[in-house]
Amino acid sequence: MRRRRGTILLSIGVILLILVAALCVPATIPRTLGYQIYVAVSDDMAPGVTTGSLLYIHQTEGKTIEAGDQLAYYSADGGGVVLQWVIENDTEEQTLTARTEGADASEDQTVSYTQVLGIVKLIIPEMGKYVSFIASTKGVSLLGGMTGLALLFMGTGIVLGSGAKRQEEENGEDENPEEWDKEKEEV
C-alpha cells in the first residue's frame, strides 16, 4: 500500500512538472527560434489583431520586406511597437510605406529601415493575456510554487516507494503476488 501511494505521489509530481513546462512553452520556445514576442495593446489592426493577442515577430531586414507583409516597427516618437500593413518598399530611400488596417492612403506612414523590428508571423488571439500573466510576478510565483509542489510530491513518492520496497524485501515478500499464488498452488 505504501508503494502504491509512493507511485501515485510520484505521478502527480511528474504531471505537475509537465504542466509547468507546458505553461512556459508559448513564451520560451519561440524566442529560441529567433522570434520576438509581443502582446497587442490596442485594436488598431482589428479584426486581424485585437487587444490581448499574442504576436510572434521574426526579425527581418527592411530590404526583404514586401508589400502585403504585416510590419512591426518602433514608432519614431518612441511610443512603442506599431503594427501596420506594408504598402510599398522603397529600397533606394530605404523606407517602407505602411498603413493601419482600414485606413485610407492619407494616413500612410513612412517607416525607415532603422525602425523595422520585423514581420508578424503568427497571431494568437487572447493568448497574450495569459503570457502577460505568466511573465508577471504573480505568474512567476505561481509557476515556482507549482514546481516546488511537484518536487515535494516526487520526493515523497520516491521515499515512500523505496521504503516500501525495502520493507517488502526485509519481510521476504514477493513483488508479484500472482506468481506467489501460483507457486503456492503447485506445492
Side-chain angles (χ1 to χ4, degrees):
M1 187 63 161
R2 272 181 74 186
R3 197 169 185 182
R4 178 174 282 170
R5 286 184 191 148
T7 303
I8 290 170
L9 287 174
L10 182 61
S11 299
I12 291 171
V14 168
I15 290 168
L16 274 174
L17 213 50
I18 290 170
L19 180 62
V20 167
L23 290 172
C24 293
V25 165
T28 55
I29 300 297
R31 288 178 194 220
T32 64
L33 300 173
Y35 289 89
Q36 294 184 35
I37 301 167
Y38 288 89
V39 177
V41 294
S42 75
D43 285 331
D44 288 349
M45 290 291 283
V49 180
T50 56
T51 302
S53 294
L54 186 63
L55 310 168
Y56 291 100
I57 300 170
H58 193 264
Q59 190 172 3
T60 310
E61 290 185 31
K63 63 183 177 186
T64 63
I65 296 173
E66 299 175 357
D69 286 341
Q70 194 167 21
L71 176 68
Y73 66 94
Y74 297 107
S75 67
D77 64 3
V81 175
V82 179
L83 296 179
Q84 293 187 329
W85 293 104
V86 175
I87 304 302
E88 180 185 9
N89 187 345
D90 185 346
T91 54
E92 286 182 22
E93 293 291 322
Q94 296 189 344
T95 60
L96 300 160
T97 303
R99 184 180 301 162
T100 301
E101 184 85 26
D104 59 34
S106 67
E107 297 179 55
D108 286 357
Q109 300 290 316
T110 301
V111 180
S112 166
Y113 283 2
T114 58
Q115 293 173 260
V116 172
L117 176 61
I119 299 298
V120 178
K121 292 292 186 176
L122 179 64
I123 301 166
I124 305 175
E126 300 299 319
M127 186 65 126
K129 295 172 186 175
Y130 153 78
V131 170
S132 293
F133 173 74
I134 292 298
S136 72
T137 304
K138 288 180 182 179
V140 170
S141 297
L142 175 68
L143 291 177
M146 288 175 63
T147 301
L149 191 59
L151 294 174
L152 179 67
F153 278 139
M154 291 170 67
T156 304
I158 289 169
V159 168
L160 281 177
S162 63
K165 184 175 181 180
R166 190 172 31 251
Q167 187 177 15
E168 288 172 2
E169 289 171 356
E170 288 173 2
N171 294 339
E173 296 175 8
D174 196 348
E175 287 188 30
N176 192 344
E178 292 175 7
E179 287 182 15
W180 187 74
D181 286 342
K182 288 180 185 175
E183 289 174 10
K184 206 174 183 184
E185 290 174 7
E186 290 175 4
V187 175

